[in-house]
């Protein structure tokens, strides 16, 4: 019987080794299946992006203006103002090779008059399929939009010399805006 016990032990050990190898192979197979599923999902996402209709720069401007139109009542209410000027500009300020949109606006008092009670820029990133607002710029000083060049937005700060009339600040200095998250400096 001693031999029989040895045979049984050898059989059990062999069975354990085989089952360990099988479970290891099963785990490897499961991992490979999960990797394939992930690759399929990645391909599916890429196919969806390729099949999505890319928007033109004009479409991006229209989408940004529509979003600005929805945001405008908040601006007007906070300044007790009406919209005086709204102008859209395009250029790549996010560095991704796609034309983004900047909307310049100025506000006048809601009660009338020609005073400037607020002005600013709203920056919209264009990803080629849609636009989204990423930042706003409403400084305390007067400024005018200048250009978008080499991935940067430039404005001219306007300041009054001693003898300037209220209508016409004569000191103009170029200022490059820095975008950090949703803040613009």
């Amino acid at each position: 019987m001693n031999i029989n016990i040895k045979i049984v032990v050898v059989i059990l050990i062999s069975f354990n080794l085989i089952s360990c190898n099988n479970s290891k192979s099963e785990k490897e197979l499961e991992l490979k299946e999960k990797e394939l599923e992930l690759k399929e999902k990645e391909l599916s996402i890429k196919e969806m992006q390729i099949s999505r209709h890319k928007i033109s720069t004009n479409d991006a401007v229209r989408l940004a203006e529509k979003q600005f139109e929805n945001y405008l009542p908040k601006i007007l209410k906070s300044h007790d103002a009406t919209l005086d000027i709204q102008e859209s500009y395009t250029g790549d300020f996010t560095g991704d090779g796609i034309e983004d949109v900047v909307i310049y606006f100025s506000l006048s008092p809601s009660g009338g008059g020609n005073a400037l009670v607020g002005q600013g820029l709203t920056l919209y990133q264009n990803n080629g399929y849609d636009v989204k607002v990423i930042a706003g710029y409403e400084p305390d000083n007067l400024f005018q939009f200048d250009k978008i060049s080499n991935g940067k937005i430039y404005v001219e700060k306007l300041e009054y010399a001693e003898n300037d009339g209220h209508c016409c600040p004569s000191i103009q200095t170029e200022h490059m805006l820095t975008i950090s998250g949703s803040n613009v400096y």
Side-chain angles (χ1 to χ4, degrees):
M1 283 210 187
N2 206 358
I3 293 178
N4 285 339
I5 293 176
K6 286 182 182 180
I7 291 174
V8 169
V9 168
V10 169
I11 291 173
L12 285 175
I13 291 173
S14 298
F15 181 73
N16 272 342
L17 288 175
I18 291 170
S19 66
C20 285
N21 283 340
N22 283 344
S23 66
K24 184 178 179 183
S25 296
E26 288 174 9
K27 288 180 183 179
E28 287 176 358
L29 186 60
E30 285 178 27
L31 283 174
K32 286 183 181 183
E33 286 176 354
K34 287 181 182 180
E35 286 176 11
L36 281 174
E37 285 178 24
L38 285 174
K39 287 181 181 179
E40 286 176 358
K41 286 180 183 178
E42 287 174 6
L43 283 173
S44 174
I45 290 170
K46 286 180 182 178
E47 287 173 359
M48 284 187 343
Q49 288 175 340
I50 290 170
S51 67
R52 280 175 63 187
H53 175 69
K54 283 197 165 209
I55 59 174
S56 68
T57 301
N58 289 337
D59 290 337
V61 169
R62 280 192 286 279
L63 290 169
E65 288 174 346
K66 181 70 175 167
Q67 289 181 29
F68 182 78
E69 185 180 303
N70 293 333
Y71 173 62
L72 186 59
K74 294 176 189 173
I75 298 171
L76 297 178
K77 185 176 181 180
S78 69
H79 291 282
D80 190 25
T82 60
L83 182 64
D84 187 37
I85 297 173
Q86 176 185 331
E87 296 172 338
S88 299
Y89 301 92
T90 60
D92 180 17
F93 57 80
T94 57
D96 60 4
I98 302 172
E99 297 283 302
D100 302 303
V101 181
V102 172
I103 296 180
Y104 167 80
F105 63 91
S106 68
L107 308 173
S108 57
S110 60
N114 62 358
L116 182 66
V117 295
Q119 66 177 156
L121 299 175
T122 307
L123 283 58
Y124 296 86
Q125 180 179 19
N126 176 6
N127 65 14
Y129 303 98
D130 199 5
V131 297
K132 71 174 184 172
V133 66
I134 60 168
Y137 176 69
E138 290 187 57
D140 292 333
N141 59 289
L142 294 173
F143 76 97
Q144 61 188 21
F145 178 85
D146 185 20
K147 63 186 173 186
I148 301 171
S149 178
N150 296 323
K152 305 289 183 191
I153 300 170
Y154 294 87
V155 297
E156 288 184 347
K157 286 187 174 186
L158 307 173
E159 298 177 90
Y160 294 98
E162 188 175 321
N163 295 324
D164 287 348
H166 188 68
C167 69
C168 311
S170 64
I171 302 172
Q172 299 177 354
T173 54
E174 185 176 76
H175 179 69
M176 181 179 67
L177 299 181
T178 301
I179 303 168
S180 176
S182 62
N183 299 313
V184 181
Y185 308 98

